[in-house]
Amino acid sequence: MPLRVEPSGGACGARVTGLDLSKPLDAETVAAVRAAWLQHHVLAFPDQAMNDDDLERFTCYFGGFGDDPFFAPIPGRQHIAAIRREADEQSPLFAENWHADWSFQARPPAGTCLLAIDIPPHGGDTLFANQHLAWESLTTDLQSRYADLIAIHSARLPYAPDGTYGAKDKGRSMDIRPSEAALATQIHPLVPAHPETGRRGFYSTLGYIIGIEGMAQDAAIALLMELQAWQGDERFVFAQKWEPGMLVMWDNRSVLHRATGGYEGYRRELHRTTIAAWNGA
């Protein structure tokens, strides 16, 4: 069965069939998957019978492993974290705000992979917001206003000791490790060109972005709040529904994502890897 890519019909996303990801892929197939990934930004591979070795092998096809701070890996692995919520867990939902993974790093990951391990019968969609569309849908006047801004990124709000997932966060099954390292800052253009396609789009959003270079903090936060509402507008959003055995990969340079609930009383677990920043090779 040949590789088949079926676009979602939404703002981004496609379903890829015809591949068995429990087996190695040849270079031609990897190139075809990468092309689909760059075009659709989010790819879902249903009905896979993958284990953690297979997940690691697949991740390495697209650039090797990115650095995952603030998460402990699962036992016996260095590069896989469990995104897990137990059936009786009462802590706030993890990652329910829009974000691009690890945008506070000097070289943030190109992408993320999630492999379904334990999927509830309903709920738990992952939402994706296409940031190329968000940028391209602006008026030229607003594009001129934002085009050259430099954003200040930091992990302090979620992962500092006094952050969302710090000392006050109790009863969570995920193994999150807050640290003073989260206080560091890093700058990136607010609207960079994608390093592989050249297409411009917003990168990250309020939360990991904590300010704008050269702008008073009150004004910067007001601007970021305004932009956050635009970036997550329903016109740009695609809801990925999960299925048992599904692998989903997305391009962190093109989309924001966030978790949703709606599966109270059921356990949910996914295994996560990050794809290292593109090196241009």
Side-chain angles (χ1 to χ4, degrees):
M1 181 179 177
L3 179 151
R4 183 180 180 188
V5 179
E6 301 173 76
S8 71
C12 56
R15 188 176 179 96
V16 181
T17 54
L19 295 180
D20 181 354
L21 301 184
S22 69
K23 296 180 170 60
L25 303 180
D26 60 32
E28 182 180 359
T29 301
V30 171
V33 172
R34 180 181 282 278
W37 183 47
L38 294 176
Q39 179 181 357
H40 299 290
H41 317 307
V42 182
L43 299 182
F45 302 82
D47 302 319
Q48 299 297 324
M50 299 172 70
N51 60 28
D52 288 331
D53 289 337
D54 302 327
L55 175 60
E56 291 186 338
R57 182 181 61 247
F58 181 85
T59 304
C60 287
Y61 290 140
F62 300 95
F65 298 112
D67 176 38
D68 277 316
F70 313 120
F71 286 170
I74 62 174
R77 302 283 168 168
Q78 290 183 296
H79 303 292
I80 298 176
I83 307 301
R84 180 175 58 241
R85 187 175 181 85
E86 299 296 346
D88 59 352
E89 193 162 326
Q90 299 299 311
S91 61
L93 193 66
F94 176 73
E96 62 182 334
N97 296 318
W98 289 116
H99 63 288
D101 284 336
W102 306 154
S103 72
F104 50 82
Q105 294 180 329
R107 286 180 54 76
T112 303
C113 298
L114 279 183
L115 175 62
I117 303 299
D118 195 1
I119 298 299
H122 52 74
D125 293 358
T126 302
L127 304 185
F128 295 95
N130 185 331
Q131 296 305 287
H132 295 305
L133 287 183
W135 170 249
E136 293 161 359
S137 299
L138 287 172
T139 64
T140 54
D141 284 349
L142 285 175
Q143 286 184 342
S144 296
R145 179 185 178 193
Y146 305 140
D148 298 322
L149 296 180
I150 302 297
I152 305 168
H153 297 245
S154 175
R156 64 183 57 183
L157 295 177
Y159 294 114
D162 62 351
T164 301
Y165 303 116
K168 65 185 179 184
D169 188 42
K170 303 295 185 183
R172 187 176 298 279
S173 58
M174 280 183 61
D175 196 350
I176 300 175
R177 305 287 178 86
S179 163
E180 296 284 348
L183 300 176
T185 60
Q186 177 65 48
I187 60 171
H188 296 294
L190 182 67
V191 195
H194 191 288
E196 295 186 67
T197 68
R199 190 179 178 188
R200 292 193 75 176
F202 288 111
Y203 178 59
S204 197
T205 191
L206 183 68
Y208 280 159
I209 298 180
I210 61 168
I212 301 292
E213 274 204 334
M215 187 178 293
Q217 189 66 4
D218 287 352
I221 296 302
L223 173 61
L224 290 166
M225 291 180 67
E226 177 183 320
L227 281 179
Q228 184 183 54
W230 176 261
Q231 289 174 276
D233 186 278
E234 63 182 10
R235 290 172 292 171
F236 315 134
V237 174
F238 163 66
Q240 177 64 62
K241 296 188 179 302
W242 284 92
E243 302 168 13
M246 178 173 277
L247 173 76
V248 174
M249 69 181 299
W250 66 87
D251 187 339
N252 271 300
R253 306 159 297 185
S254 297
V255 296
L256 302 176
H257 64 282
R258 70 179 185 90
T260 66
Y263 54 94
E264 292 76 10
Y266 292 94
R267 188 179 190 277
R268 184 175 184 270
E269 181 173 349
L270 305 108
H271 282 186
R272 177 187 187 276
T273 57
T274 60
I275 302 169
W278 190 64
N279 63 14

